[in-house]
Amino acid sequence: MRWNVRGGWVGTDGFDYFAALAAVRTPYLAVAGGSDRVFAPVAACRQVVERVGSERKSLTVEAGLSHRGLVLAPRARDVCWPGVAAWLKEALG
């Protein structure tokens, strides 16, 4: 969680994860909870997606869901997961 507070993502060994994201070439989907203010806020997720080097990258924001809610909220089944499944089918199809 430190990376989204500090605005940088460097390991204890000095490895710069943000810089390394430029080498990612596989399709990349990020899903953020619009109500997540602590673990992975939308702005922090956007920082990651912007650094990914893939030509096919996307950030989906699910309004009203928290970090945990993306997986555990009853409505995530209806509003979040169908979009993830459709993106995977398209990207891998």
Side-chain angles (χ1 to χ4, degrees):
M1 191 170 103
R2 288 182 215 155
W3 68 270
N4 65 15
V5 173
R6 293 182 185 162
W9 192 6
V10 178
T12 56
D13 60 355
F15 185 81
D16 187 339
Y17 288 92
F18 270 169
L21 288 171
V24 174
R25 297 288 181 245
T26 57
Y28 187 91
L29 172 65
V31 181
S35 295
D36 186 348
R37 307 281 186 258
V38 178
F39 293 106
V42 174
C45 293
R46 189 170 286 114
Q47 286 180 31
V48 172
V49 173
E50 288 172 354
R51 287 171 170 81
V52 169
S54 176
E55 289 183 24
R56 179 160 168 64
K57 58 186 177 181
S58 179
L59 170 63
T60 299
V61 178
E62 297 296 347
L65 291 177
S66 66
H67 190 76
R68 187 178 87 132
L70 289 169
V71 176
L72 299 176
R75 74 182 196 89
R77 183 177 340 170
D78 298 324
V79 299
C80 181
W81 294 107
V84 171
W87 188 91
L88 286 169
K89 282 182 185 177
E90 183 183 330
L92 302 175

